[in-house]
């Protein structure tokens, strides 16, 4: 998918904001000089923060589920079903 740096920056801010809301409150909403000082593109920031968000969400499932089986269902089959719906709505096939 082709996006401008400005679009990637906008997405990166929202993903980091979401990560802050689900268990990573120590992440600042904006780092000084970002992304120029670290040398990574805004697209790379989206990928990094999305991975952080996915980990925080998975941990939230594990911590919130009443049992291991319930956590496994929500983190496994239910997650995969929801991912399939998202991919279908964006016209993207599984990776």
């Amino acid at each position: 998918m082709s996006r401008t740096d400005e679009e990637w920056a906008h997405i990166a801010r929202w993903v980091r904001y979401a990560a802050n809301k689900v268990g990573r409150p120590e992440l600042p909403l904006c780092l000084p000089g970002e992304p120029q000082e670290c040398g990574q593109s805004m697209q790379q920031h989206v990928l990094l923060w999305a991975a952080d968000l996915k980990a925080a969400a998975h941990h939230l499932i594990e911590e919130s589920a009443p049992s291991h089986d319930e956590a496994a269902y929500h983190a496994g089959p239910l997650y995969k079903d929801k991912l399939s719906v998202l991919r279908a709505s964006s016209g993207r096939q599984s990776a």
Side-chain angles (χ1 to χ4, degrees), residues 46-89:
V46 168
L47 296 171
L48 292 167
W49 295 124
D52 201 272
L53 177 59
K54 184 177 178 178
H58 191 100
H59 182 69
L60 182 61
I61 289 170
E62 292 174 340
E63 294 288 311
S64 302
S67 69
H68 175 74
D69 288 345
E70 191 79 12
Y73 168 73
H74 283 83
L78 184 62
Y79 167 80
K80 289 178 183 177
D81 289 345
K82 293 191 174 288
L83 182 57
S84 292
V85 169
L86 286 171
R87 286 176 174 157
S89 70

Side-chain angles (χ1 to χ4, degrees), residues 4-81:
T4 66
D5 284 343
E6 185 176 308
E7 290 170 322
W8 284 119
H10 184 75
I11 294 166
R13 281 190 290 275
W14 279 109
V15 173
R16 187 185 339 212
Y17 178 79
N20 274 311
K21 294 297 181 186
V22 293
R24 293 299 308 263
E26 72 276 5
L27 297 174
L29 289 179
C30 185
L31 297 174
E34 199 173 54
Q36 296 79 13
E37 284 186 14
C38 73
Q40 295 184 9
S41 70
M42 288 313 298
Q43 183 179 14
Q44 289 169 316
H45 278 77
V46 168
L47 296 171
L48 292 167
W49 295 124
D52 201 272
L53 177 59
K54 184 177 178 178
H58 191 100
H59 182 69
L60 182 61
I61 289 170
E62 292 174 340
E63 294 288 311
S64 302
S67 69
H68 175 74
D69 288 345
E70 191 79 12
Y73 168 73
H74 283 83
L78 184 62
Y79 167 80
K80 289 178 183 177
D81 289 345

